[in-house]
Amino acid sequence: MQKGSYLGELEELILLAAASLGENAYGLAIMEALNEKAKRNLSLSAVHTVLYRLEEKGLLRSEMGGATAERGGRRKRLFKMTQYGAQALQENREVRESFWSSISLQWQGGNL
Amino acid sequence: MKKPASIPTWAERFFAWYCAPHLHEELQGDLAEQFEHHCSRYSVSKARRLYWWNVIRLLGPHTLKRKSVNYSTNNTIMFKNYLLVAYRSLMKRKSYTFINVFGLALGIASAYLIFAYVKHELSYDEFHSQKDHIYRSQVNFHIGGEDNNTSVSPTALLPHLKREFPEIKEGVRVYNPGIFAPMVLQVDEQKYEEKRFFYADSTFFKVFDYELIQGDKKTALSTPNSVLLTQRMATKYFGYTDPIGKTIRLNNVRDFTVTGILENVPQNSHLQFDFLATFSSLGVAKREEWWGANYQTFVVLNEQADVKVVEDRLFEQVKEMTKGQLPSNGDYVRYSFTPLLDLHFNTSYSNEWEPTSSMVYIYIFTAIAFLIILIACINYMNLSTARATDRAREVGMRKVMGAYRSQVFSQFMSEAILITLIAGMLALVLVQVAIPVFNDVTGKNFTSAILLNRELLSYFGAILLAVSLLAGAYPALALSGFKPIKVLKGQFKHSTSAVALRKGLVVFQFAISMFLIMSTLVIMSQLRFIQDKQLGYTKDQVLAFPLDYALSEKLPTIKQALSAQSGVLGVTSSTNLPNLVRGGYSLSVQGMAEGSELMITAQAIDENYLEVLDMELVAGEKLTATDALLVQDTVYQNRTYNILVNETAVRKLGLTPEEAVGIASNVGERKGIIKGVMKDFHYQSLQQEIGSVAYFIEPEQFNYVMVKVAPQNMEHTLAGLQTLWSKLAPHRPFEFEFLDENFKNMYASEQNIAQIFQVFSIIALLVGALGLFGLASYTTIQRAKEISVRKVLGASVGQLVILLNKDFVLLIVWAMVLAIPLSFYFMNQWLSNFAFRTEIHWFIPALAAILTLLAALLTVSWESVKSALSNPADRLKSE
């Protein structure tokens, strides 16, 4: 893993959420997905800050989407994971897997 | 369906205000969407609360920070392009460039010189280290209900102050006998008359900071009969030999030893001297005398001391001392102290040794400097906006290519800055060239050093900055505001408000020019009035020779010899020259109540005085040789004075001239009879009213001998007089003053003001005319086709010129309407300084109007005639 591209926990979660939302990954949607699935209580502000940071790091890129009726005609900023973002997630996952493979989480009884 | 809940407006506005524009849309979209979700889940009021909360939470560095990185690099790259385009547009229209640059340069150079002058005037006596604590004493004699203020004080004042007042740290008495008559100084066989010969106490250098080149400040003025001289004088008298220890003879009677060399006294010093002799050389120095004041007393006060307290306590003490010695009960003598730094601008005391200036003139000159710069800036503004059509396409293209308004704005600003910088360089050159002329005009002594003065250069920088902002901002705003669609379609038009503003500015420019011209004319006509004023005596062809003790001894012989000379019409002598009589006396007549004496101005004259100076009597008789015999007794009490008074004196005494003749009266201690009543005449500056005057014969007081010569063969007469003079007064150089010159010098400061006004009003007119020329030539070019068509249809050249000039003439007329009442108001204020003044004649506004109109018509017609004369075929063939 490259030095400096360390992913924080929230960063990783948001990156994953953005990737999972596919074509419809914008600020509010990402926040709601996280709050729902991870039972977080994140604010718009927190999510946006992280999104912009990830974009600056080059893990995400964004463009303005088309106008929509529901938000007063305002456009959404749609985020997409970059190749580099995917790679960073992959590396993170490998690190975790390598640990997972050496331990068993199944409870072995009261011997511990 | 529920009515759609509304987002809190203020929160939305607040967000729009702080949020960076590039994030604004998406974030507001998210906020709006979440608001809708909240509405469906909670109450509307909670949703609104949450919206507010979100807006506040979004407030952070990343939403506040504007995206800017890209733009700034863009600007630096573009800057080179701006310079290039600026250079091209300057080169393309060379005449406009010249008008702008030259006009601004003239304005800036004028301002530079004026600031140098003002700085000099304000810097008087700033070079003394104790400047803030040095004061000079004045005396106010309040006698018989009249006030007499004088800048000189008696010898006893300083010793008294030093004894009685711990507040007085140091003090010095200075005496300037040169104000009465010049001194004659002699080294070996060389003789010169000097007017700047001062006496000063040995404490002089403890008070003032005049520098010594040679000698010791502590001892230089301690022994009697020693003298210091300035470097200039050292060279004049001793050339390259060392003057220390050498002897200078004063008035052929007393020898002084040179003990040191002073640096030349700076021009911004209130005391102006070339020689400084020890005060103890004077006989009067040994006595403490309260009566008879000829000396200026300077004191250094302690830092904590309060001048007011010192003055009040001194007043009480003087009151005690003078008890019973003053004519009546209400009379008093009050000493006061003026800060040294205020002396140059203090005009309230008579007999100052150096001419003082007035703060008013400082304000006026500063105002003129700004006005000229303003005129030049208006030129730039008008020419740039008038030429906007030239640049409109460029602005349109730039905007289409993605330039922001701010970028176009900064482009035109940088053009203005460039022009100002070039003008600034040119201005410095102009200043250098103009210094000699400026010295002539102001009577000062500026050198190229003013170009290196740090303070002046910082003003210069400020002027450049102000000019670029002032001149550049309006055109830059106007030009950068063009809508690309309109200008590229060719629908560009000057907006009516812009045209109106331009016209207004031209009116303003010419109103200023006219105001300055009118002021100049009024000042000049007042000076003319002074020169031509019937003063009540003749001042033409009268030569004045100062007398000294040796000459006074044999005055009758001298007068006789001078009268016998061919070409001499008359000879007389007196205490003062007739244009400025200074002696203060009291006059009492028989039967007058005690203490009601009249304060008068008086001097001694001889029996020929009235005849030589063509003065008239309204009653009684002239003085004769017999009257002179009456005052020959050496004991004053035995003399009988026959006195001449003027009409004003008689009127103040409540008598008619006929009644006054023959009345016994006293001038001071002199007992006598009024022999004649003189017609009122001007014995001092025309700024003052005519007061009461008495003249009497007293040969001991004669300081001048005046010779009236025939106007024909003046050179021959003067040569004859010189030969005679060298025989009569071998110890004195043949130096004299013409009375009319001396009279003129009394108004030197007014002369200066007039000249300064003259020069700068011409500059103002010139700069204004330059701008008008540019504007006129531009509009004429714009209307070239129209003119050609008119010509083809049969308009005559005359009609076309009138058509083109009409608009501009109208502007000048408006300028007149503005300027004339304004000038009348201000110039009447100025004239009210003179007790005797000219009226503002109708021809002054008329002349100013004609001058301005002429300047405007000449400049405008140059282009309009050219255009009207041109062949329409040349202009119309392209279409």
Side-chain angles (χ1 to χ4, degrees):
Chain A
M1 208 177 152
Q2 274 173 302
K3 207 184 166 190
S5 64
Y6 165 77
L7 274 182
E9 188 253 357
L10 187 60
E11 287 178 331
E12 189 182 1
L13 271 179
I14 286 177
L15 199 53
L16 282 167
S20 72
L21 282 170
E23 292 295 303
N24 202 25
Y26 66 99
L28 187 70
I30 294 170
M31 183 196 89
E32 283 179 344
L34 279 172
N35 284 351
E36 197 180 311
K37 288 193 180 155
K39 300 283 178 276
R40 293 294 187 106
N41 190 16
L42 291 168
S43 71
L44 255 183
S45 166
V47 174
H48 273 285
T49 321
V50 175
L51 280 170
Y52 297 133
R53 192 160 66 226
L54 290 172
E55 192 178 7
E56 254 170 59
K57 285 183 177 177
L59 304 173
L60 285 175
R61 67 189 158 76
S62 73
E63 56 189 22
M64 298 304 282
T68 49
E70 53 195 352
R71 13 197 292 147
R74 296 185 190 90
R75 293 175 299 166
K76 297 167 179 167
R77 181 173 292 279
L78 299 174
F79 290 90
K80 244 195 172 93
M81 194 159 65
T82 61
Q83 182 61 39
Y84 179 46
Q87 197 185 324
L89 274 182
Q90 189 62 38
E91 277 170 16
N92 250 20
R93 184 174 176 177
E94 276 163 18
V95 171
R96 277 157 219 234
E97 302 252 294
S98 70
F99 287 117
W100 278 114
S101 61
S102 61
I103 54 170
S104 163
L105 259 192
Q106 218 173 358
W107 191 43
Q108 298 292 323
N111 291 348
L112 269 177
Chain B
M1 204 179 118
K2 248 199 322 187
K3 182 176 93 183
S6 64
I7 289 168
T9 333
W10 281 104
E12 204 175 7
R13 279 196 200 158
F14 175 58
F15 182 72
W17 174 71
Y18 78 73
C19 182
H22 68 286
L23 298 176
H24 181 234
E25 186 177 0
E26 57 191 278
L27 287 176
Q28 211 165 33
D30 282 359
L31 280 169
E33 205 179 328
Q34 198 182 26
F35 179 75
E36 277 165 38
H37 294 185
H38 283 159
C39 280
S40 59
R41 217 172 302 160
Y42 314 115
S43 70
V44 174
S45 60
K46 185 169 181 185
R48 287 167 69 97
R49 248 190 346 265
L50 284 169
Y51 188 92
W52 261 111
W53 181 228
N54 265 332
V55 164
I56 289 162
R57 286 226 289 197
L58 275 168
L59 188 75
H62 75 285
T63 49
L64 288 174
K65 198 175 159 199
R66 265 52 177 173
K67 205 170 164 183
S68 65
V69 190
N70 290 340
Y71 302 158
S72 68
T73 41
N74 195 9
N75 267 349
T76 16
I77 295 164
M78 288 307 285
F79 195 72
K80 220 171 126 188
N81 174 270
Y82 296 160
L83 278 182
L84 182 71
V85 171
Y87 173 76
R88 282 181 189 157
S89 104
L90 292 184
M91 285 295 123
K92 192 171 160 197
R93 303 263 183 198
K94 290 205 183 65
S95 59
Y96 297 132
T97 310
F98 171 78
I99 290 170
N100 275 333
V101 170
F102 189 66
L104 284 174
L106 267 180
I108 295 168
S110 307
Y112 200 99
L113 287 171
I114 288 175
F115 285 162
Y117 176 80
V118 168
K119 182 176 132 59
H120 170 83
E121 286 290 296
L122 294 178
S123 72
Y124 266 72
D125 290 307
E126 288 282 347
F127 58 90
H128 300 295
S129 53
Q130 303 180 85
K131 60 185 181 189
D132 295 322
H133 307 294
I134 305 176
Y135 293 82
R136 192 196 62 196
S137 96
Q138 280 88 221
V139 198
N140 168 235
F141 293 101
H142 183 87
I143 311 275
E146 281 191 54
D147 279 303
N148 194 356
N149 290 315
T150 168
S151 66
V152 286
S153 41
T155 49
L157 178 64
L158 185 63
H160 176 82
L161 285 172
K162 277 186 165 175
R163 271 196 305 271
E164 302 285 331
F165 292 85
E167 293 97 326
I168 307 285
K169 211 158 88 183
E170 201 45 85
V172 61
R173 293 169 296 183
V174 183
Y175 177 45
N176 174 13
I179 53 159
F180 301 110
M183 314 272 103
V184 173
L185 296 184
Q186 181 180 3
V187 172
D188 300 330
E189 287 311 304
Q190 296 178 75
K191 269 175 239 151
Y192 296 102
E193 286 197 351
E194 299 292 352
K195 281 193 161 176
R196 291 154 51 111
F197 190 98
F198 281 25
Y199 291 89
D201 277 321
S202 59
T203 46
F204 187 78
F205 292 108
K206 286 186 185 159
V207 175
F208 298 117
D209 289 277
Y210 297 98
E211 291 306 320
L212 274 183
I213 298 172
Q214 258 180 289
D216 184 0
K217 280 187 181 182
K218 287 199 191 82
T219 58
L221 289 172
S222 52
T223 40
N225 296 331
S226 39
V227 69
L228 302 173
L229 64 169
T230 57
Q231 203 174 14
R232 194 164 42 223
M233 290 299 134
T235 330
K236 179 173 168 186
Y237 283 85
F238 300 100
Y240 293 102
T241 56
D242 184 7
I244 302 284
K246 295 264 172 55
T247 306
I248 296 181
R249 174 158 289 201
L250 175 73
N251 291 344
N252 212 18
V253 286
R254 196 197 289 262
D255 284 336
F256 284 86
T257 313
V258 178
T259 52
I261 300 174
L262 285 157
E263 247 176 47
N264 291 337
V265 173
Q267 240 198 339
N268 56 0
S269 159
H270 182 72
L271 291 177
Q272 286 292 336
F273 52 89
D274 280 320
F275 299 87
L276 207 53
T278 42
F279 201 76
S280 51
S281 329
L282 293 165
V284 292
K286 284 151 200 120
R287 296 191 302 275
E288 283 188 23
E289 191 61 72
W290 280 103
W291 302 103
N294 280 319
Y295 317 95
Q296 291 206 346
T297 306
F298 292 87
V299 293
V300 183
L301 255 62
N302 279 335
E303 279 168 37
Q304 314 85 332
D306 184 354
V307 191
K308 202 87 203 84
V309 174
V310 176
E311 282 175 356
D312 289 344
R313 195 139 57 90
L314 184 62
F315 180 50
E316 292 305 319
Q317 292 173 350
V318 172
K319 209 194 257 175
E320 199 58 37
M321 277 189 277
T322 53
K323 203 173 241 173
Q325 298 183 46
L326 293 170
S328 64
N329 261 342
D331 297 345
Y332 59 81
V333 178
R334 189 184 171 96
Y335 289 88
S336 61
F337 297 93
T338 306
L340 177 69
L341 294 182
D342 293 350
L343 287 185
H344 185 59
F345 291 108
N346 188 342
T347 45
S348 50
Y349 292 95
S350 64
N351 50 32
E352 287 285 358
W353 293 346
E354 273 304 305
T356 50
S357 179
S358 163
M359 261 329 253
V360 177
Y361 291 134
I362 299 295
Y363 296 136
I364 291 177
F365 290 145
T366 317
I368 290 180
F370 283 116
L371 287 179
I372 293 179
I373 289 192
L374 199 59
I375 292 178
C377 286
I378 291 176
N379 278 352
Y380 183 88
M381 284 153 75
N382 277 349
L383 287 180
S384 316
T385 50
R387 286 181 51 211
T389 19
D390 280 6
R391 307 294 295 273
R393 287 221 176 80
E394 180 194 336
V395 173
M397 272 321 281
R398 279 186 190 275
K399 284 197 166 177
V400 167
M401 304 300 269
Y404 285 86
R405 180 172 186 178
S406 65
Q407 285 176 302
V408 180
F409 179 83
S410 64
Q411 179 201 346
F412 285 104
M413 277 311 283
S414 52
E415 230 163 85
I417 292 168
L418 187 72
I419 287 206
T420 315
L421 281 179
I422 299 171
M425 299 299 133
L426 185 61
L428 291 182
V429 177
L430 287 179
V431 169
Q432 169 67 38
V433 174
I435 285 174
V437 185
F438 191 62
N439 283 341
D440 261 8
V441 169
T442 55
K444 301 282 175 190
N445 228 337
F446 294 108
T447 61
S448 307
I450 56 168
L451 285 170
L452 300 173
N453 184 292
R454 199 176 298 168
E455 194 185 336
L456 286 175
L457 282 176
S458 65
Y459 291 145
F460 175 70
I463 291 176
L464 288 192
L465 193 71
V467 165
S468 0
L469 288 179
L470 191 66
Y474 171 64
L477 267 178
L479 286 163
S480 64
F482 288 154
K483 299 269 175 294
I485 284 191
K486 274 193 179 166
V487 290
L488 290 178
K489 256 185 169 173
Q491 287 179 336
F492 177 80
K493 266 216 184 87
H494 286 293
S495 70
T496 40
S497 66
V499 174
L501 178 66
R502 204 146 60 226
K503 284 185 176 170
L505 289 173
V506 171
V507 169
F508 180 64
Q509 277 183 311
F510 278 86
I512 295 173
S513 300
M514 270 199 62
F515 173 71
L516 290 178
I517 292 174
M518 272 188 66
S519 309
T520 311
L521 290 173
V522 171
I523 296 173
M524 281 163 67
S525 75
Q526 171 67 13
L527 287 176
R528 185 88 249 156
F529 173 81
I530 290 172
Q531 290 301 318
D532 295 348
K533 172 95 184 146
Q534 291 302 315
L535 298 168
Y537 62 85
T538 309
K539 62 182 187 324
D540 302 317
Q541 277 97 40
V542 178
L543 280 58
F545 295 91
L547 294 174
D548 62 12
Y549 185 70
L551 289 178
S552 299
E553 289 279 272
K554 47 175 184 173
L555 191 60
T557 335
I558 293 175
K559 280 206 260 187
Q560 217 159 29
L562 287 171
S563 315
Q565 188 69 16
S566 79
V568 170
L569 300 178
V571 178
T572 182
S573 40
S574 61
T575 313
N576 296 119
L577 293 178
N579 53 336
L580 190 56
V581 181
R582 304 182 188 238
Y585 290 81
S586 66
L587 178 76
S588 57
V589 296
Q590 202 177 25
M592 195 181 220
E594 183 83 9
S596 57
E597 287 90 346
L598 212 55
M599 292 291 286
I600 55 159
T601 305
Q603 69 162 341
I605 58 170
D606 73 2
E607 63 273 16
N608 303 321
Y609 192 84
L610 264 59
E611 203 170 6
V612 172
L613 296 176
D614 299 323
M615 292 166 68
E616 288 171 35
L617 286 181
V618 290
E621 284 168 55
K622 290 182 180 176
L623 298 176
T624 60
T626 336
D627 298 318
L629 293 176
L630 292 173
V631 293
Q632 273 191 329
D633 202 311
T634 44
V635 183
Y636 281 75
Q637 282 77 11
N638 296 343
R639 293 180 175 183
T640 310
Y641 289 87
N642 279 332
I643 302 160
L644 298 179
V645 292
N646 69 348
E647 289 172 296
T648 308
V650 171
R651 202 168 49 244
K652 286 214 177 147
L653 290 170
L655 301 169
T656 66
E658 288 72 23
E659 286 169 354
V661 175
I663 287 188
S665 68
N666 298 348
V667 176
E669 301 292 298
R670 294 168 184 77
K671 290 188 185 65
I673 295 168
I674 295 179
K675 194 181 181 196
V677 179
M678 300 178 283
K679 210 172 157 195
D680 272 343
F681 56 94
H682 292 277
Y683 58 93
Q684 54 186 358
S685 162
L686 290 175
Q687 288 172 336
Q688 265 99 44
E689 297 281 358
I690 295 179
S692 313
V693 172
Y695 283 1
F696 51 83
I697 300 182
E698 192 171 279
E700 293 87 342
Q701 283 207 52
F702 293 156
N703 283 330
Y704 286 96
V705 59
M706 287 180 281
V707 178
K708 188 172 168 189
V709 295
Q712 306 85 12
N713 273 333
M714 275 275 267
E715 260 172 65
H716 183 253
T717 314
L718 285 181
L721 279 175
Q722 182 162 17
T723 330
L724 179 63
W725 188 257
S726 60
K727 274 185 229 141
L728 290 172
H731 66 290
R732 289 190 78 101
F734 182 67
E735 282 178 22
F736 60 87
E737 280 178 289
F738 278 108
L739 209 51
D740 51 352
E741 284 295 318
N742 187 289
F743 175 79
K744 224 172 168 176
N745 288 340
M746 289 171 72
Y747 303 97
S749 94
E750 278 77 15
Q751 297 275 5
N752 280 344
I753 306 295
Q755 277 182 312
I756 294 175
F757 256 88
Q758 229 167 317
V759 169
F760 288 110
S761 57
I762 289 171
I763 290 180
L765 187 64
L766 184 69
V767 177
L770 269 179
L772 195 64
F773 175 77
L775 210 56
S777 73
Y778 190 78
T779 38
T780 313
I781 291 168
Q782 291 268 290
R783 295 172 73 175
K785 282 206 180 103
E786 177 200 331
I787 289 160
S788 305
V789 170
R790 280 179 191 270
K791 211 173 172 187
V792 169
L793 293 176
S796 71
V797 172
Q799 284 172 323
L800 286 176
V801 171
I802 288 172
L803 176 82
L804 286 168
N805 288 357
K806 197 180 58 192
D807 291 351
F808 289 104
V809 172
L810 200 68
L811 296 185
I812 306 300
V813 171
W814 274 113
M816 286 175 203
V817 171
L818 262 176
I820 291 174
L822 210 66
S823 329
F824 263 91
Y825 175 75
F826 280 107
M827 291 331 286
N828 273 324
Q829 296 271 313
W830 181 77
L831 283 175
S832 65
N833 286 329
F834 291 86
F836 298 89
R837 54 183 177 261
T838 171
E839 292 287 300
I840 302 182
H841 289 283
W842 61 267
F843 75 80
I844 288 180
L847 189 61
I850 289 171
L851 269 174
T852 322
L853 206 58
L854 212 64
L857 272 181
L858 272 177
T859 48
V860 174
S861 302
W862 179 266
E863 283 298 326
S864 54
V865 169
K866 211 165 83 182
S867 178
L869 284 175
S870 65
N871 185 355
D874 292 337
R875 291 213 181 132
L876 295 173
K877 67 186 172 191
S878 58
E879 260 170 284

